Amino acid sequence: QLTMYLNSPTLLNEENAQGAQRNTECLESLLQTPSSFQDNPLQQLQLASQEVLEKAKKSGRSKCPRCNSSRMFYCYTCFVPVETVPTKEIPTVKLPLKIDIIKHPNETDGKSTAVHAKLLAPDDVTIYKYPCIPEYEEKRHEIALIFPGPNSVSVRDIAFHLEKYTKKGVCASDDDCSREPLLKQAKLEPKEGKNPNEGISSSRSEGTRLKKIIFIDSTWNQTNKIITDERLQGLLQIELKTRKTCFWRHQKGKPDTYLSTIEAIYYFLVDYHQEILKESYKGQYDNLLFFFSFMYTLIKDAKCCAGK
């Protein structure tokens, strides 16, 4: 929650009157003027206008239109923007596949970035609170789990490994496996048939059998309970190894390649778009970081003012 940061002792040194006064003045200035994107690693994103967030920042917390709770920007329990952030001014993103997010029951709602995905891609994202999750076994040939581990593969290798799942007899026959998912995929990806004269590679036709990606939303120390659940066993696991997190709540002792949930979703989709769909990436999913990039800049500037 933003208010937590603006009132936190990490920003306002109460033991030093002069420092506290300086920090307060700086933070008040931040609330009145747009944040600078200088030295922001997210500055190259092609985002919708964040003016609506700037206005909401100045007016402070507002009510959730559903539960009437006081929130900043959005309600993390109802998955809707607050009253000062009109839904029509929030971008929506269409994803090439469905996403399930499994949230640990002890994960603090206000600290999770999973809600960003639901807010910005509401038609394609579903959030489940563990242990209430779907059965995935019958769809193993078209589902993958994003999680690092000894058996994890890269996005580039999805096609090869999904082919192995098919040959292991997940479906009644290879024809059944290839025919039905590809028909469904055509509905999810209208661009696929845009150029009928362009040959579709074997890698792409196999890779687009993927229909759903599962993400686990929890601290890294809490993941064991979920990842060992029998309902997730046997799923293809994918690891994102080449990206570094910008999350302000990075967990101590963990590598910087361990991403927040919304970062993992975003970077996976960028890689999937390029490696599997074989299309040039032109910012199609950048707005998934609409809230994340704004909060990153605000918190970074606040810490800078506090001398952190």
Side-chain angles (χ1 to χ4, degrees), residues 76 79 100-114 127-133 147 214-229 232 251 261:
Y76 44 75
F79 308 144
D100 282 0
I101 300 174
I102 300 175
K103 186 176 178 297
H104 193 284
N106 294 334
E107 176 71 1
T108 304
D109 290 339
K111 293 182 178 181
S112 171
T113 62
I127 298 178
Y128 297 95
K129 181 168 286 190
Y130 188 83
C132 299
I133 66 175
F147 197 81
I214 302 169
F215 293 84
I216 295 175
D217 185 54
S218 76
T219 62
W220 287 101
N221 292 332
Q222 294 174 335
T223 56
N224 188 62
K225 183 176 181 180
I226 297 178
I227 196 63
T228 56
D229 189 289
L232 299 180
Q251 294 170 48
T261 301

Side-chain angles (χ1 to χ4, degrees), residues 191-221:
K191 291 184 178 181
E192 183 172 331
K194 191 171 182 179
N195 185 356
N197 297 320
E198 182 179 355
I200 300 177
S201 69
S202 173
S203 174
R204 171 170 179 172
S205 110
E206 294 293 344
T208 53
R209 286 177 176 168
L210 187 65
K211 300 298 180 298
K212 181 176 289 186
I213 290 289
I214 302 169
F215 293 84
I216 295 175
D217 185 54
S218 76
T219 62
W220 287 101
N221 292 332

Side-chain angles (χ1 to χ4, degrees), residues 163-183:
E163 173 69 7
K164 290 197 300 183
Y165 274 60
T166 298
K167 289 181 177 179
K168 285 181 178 179
V170 176
C171 299
S173 69
D174 283 353
D175 288 340
D176 289 338
C177 280
S178 60
R179 186 186 304 116
E180 184 180 359
L182 285 175
L183 285 174

Side-chain angles (χ1 to χ4, degrees), residues 42-60:
L42 305 175
Q43 65 183 335
Q44 300 302 321
L45 296 173
Q46 299 180 43
L47 299 172
S49 171
Q50 293 176 321
E51 183 178 358
V52 62
L53 300 183
E54 290 286 354
K55 291 179 180 178
K57 178 183 71 173
K58 293 176 182 178
S59 60

Side-chain angles (χ1 to χ4, degrees), residues 282-297:
K282 299 179 180 178
Q284 290 91 333
Y285 314 119
D286 282 10
N287 275 323
L288 286 174
L289 299 179
F290 180 76
F291 291 105
F292 184 89
S293 63
F294 185 84
M295 296 171 73
Y296 168 87
T297 302

